[in-house]
């Protein structure tokens, strides 16, 4: 039986793995937006993680290396989610949905009533994934480079994250990774 997925704080040791998921400057722009420059470095991720209130998370199955990562900042009841990245070898298996479900749970635990994130225009896969979670485009905040999506975390119409998510003593966990198709 596969290990359950869990969310834990990102460490410096995780950065080498995460950096290996970003093969070129186009991928860097898609996943991190314009705040990082090619080639990405652990120092750039560390600088971004130094933003007051920002927490960086990784999705893991037991003691495996990270399967995905996301950054979260909750301020005045609003969650800001950024730099959501899944290991390219594991994409298409629903891990982004599980990662986001756990990050949204963490946001709610920190008092968030809504969540926002940006999606680089042209990243249709990410846009579809976030819309499946109930995010909608905020046309007032759209830019030439990105859509801004928002989710009301208080809405009973907001879909529950995929899988049954249950707390554990070491963080938040969800069922193990989906089987390969």
């Amino acid at each position: 039986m596969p290990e359950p997925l869990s969310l834990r704080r990102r460490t410096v040791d995780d950065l080498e793995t995460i950096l290996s998921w970003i093969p070129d400057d186009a991928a860097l722009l898609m996943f991190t937006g314009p705040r990082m420059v090619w080639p990405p470095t652990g120092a750039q991720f560390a600088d971004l993680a130094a933003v007051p209130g920002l927490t960086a998370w990784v999705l893991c199955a037991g003691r495996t290396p990270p399967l995905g990562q996301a950054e979260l900042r909750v301020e005045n009841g609003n969650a800001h989610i950024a730099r959501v990245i899944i290991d390219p070898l594991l994409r298409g298996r629903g891990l982004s949905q599980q990662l986001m479900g756990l990050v949204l749970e963490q946001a709610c635990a920190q008092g968030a009533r809504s969540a926002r994130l940006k999606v680089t225009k042209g990243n249709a896969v990410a846009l579809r994934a976030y819309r499946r979670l109930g995010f909608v485009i905020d046309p007032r905040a759209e830019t030439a480079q990105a859509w801004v999506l928002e989710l009301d975390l208080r809405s009973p119409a907001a879909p529950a994250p995929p899988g049954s998510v249950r707390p554990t003593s070491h963080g938040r966990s969800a069922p193990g990774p989906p089987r390969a198709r």
Side-chain angles (χ1 to χ4, degrees):
M1 183 166 169
E3 293 264 356
L5 295 179
S6 62
L7 199 61
R8 69 164 169 78
R9 293 283 182 110
R10 186 183 73 204
T11 67
V12 172
D13 295 337
D14 297 322
L15 292 176
E16 185 176 338
T17 298
I18 294 164
L19 289 170
S20 75
W21 301 340
I22 307 171
D24 54 38
D25 56 344
L28 179 69
L29 180 63
M30 185 181 317
F31 294 118
T32 69
R35 296 191 67 186
M36 293 179 71
V37 296
W38 184 259
T41 63
Q44 288 182 76
F45 272 95
D47 286 348
L48 291 171
V51 169
L54 187 136
T55 54
W57 300 92
V58 292
L59 180 69
C60 295
R63 296 184 184 270
T64 65
L67 308 173
Q69 88 103 48
E71 295 171 4
L72 170 68
R73 182 172 50 88
V74 177
E75 183 176 35
N76 299 323
N78 300 304
H80 303 275
I81 301 167
R83 286 168 283 288
V84 178
I85 307 172
I86 298 294
D87 179 336
L89 299 176
L90 301 173
R91 290 182 189 150
R93 298 180 187 189
L95 292 175
S96 68
Q97 299 286 298
Q98 293 183 55
L99 171 61
M100 285 298 296
L102 293 168
V103 169
L104 290 170
E105 245 191 34
Q106 184 61 232
C108 288
Q110 294 180 34
R113 296 178 306 279
S114 66
R116 291 176 69 88
L117 52 79
K118 290 182 181 178
V119 176
T120 302
K121 289 190 175 173
N123 192 347
V125 172
L127 182 61
R128 263 192 317 275
Y130 298 131
R131 291 182 104 172
R132 276 195 301 264
L133 286 168
F135 280 86
V136 295
I137 294 174
D138 177 357
R140 301 163 297 160
E142 183 177 342
T143 69
Q145 296 79 29
W147 293 292
V148 175
L149 283 77
E150 59 187 358
L151 176 66
D152 183 348
L153 296 172
R154 300 167 297 174
S155 169
S164 60
V165 178
R166 59 196 179 280
T168 67
S169 60
H170 62 277
R172 303 274 184 212
S173 65
R179 297 179 200 267
R181 296 177 207 201

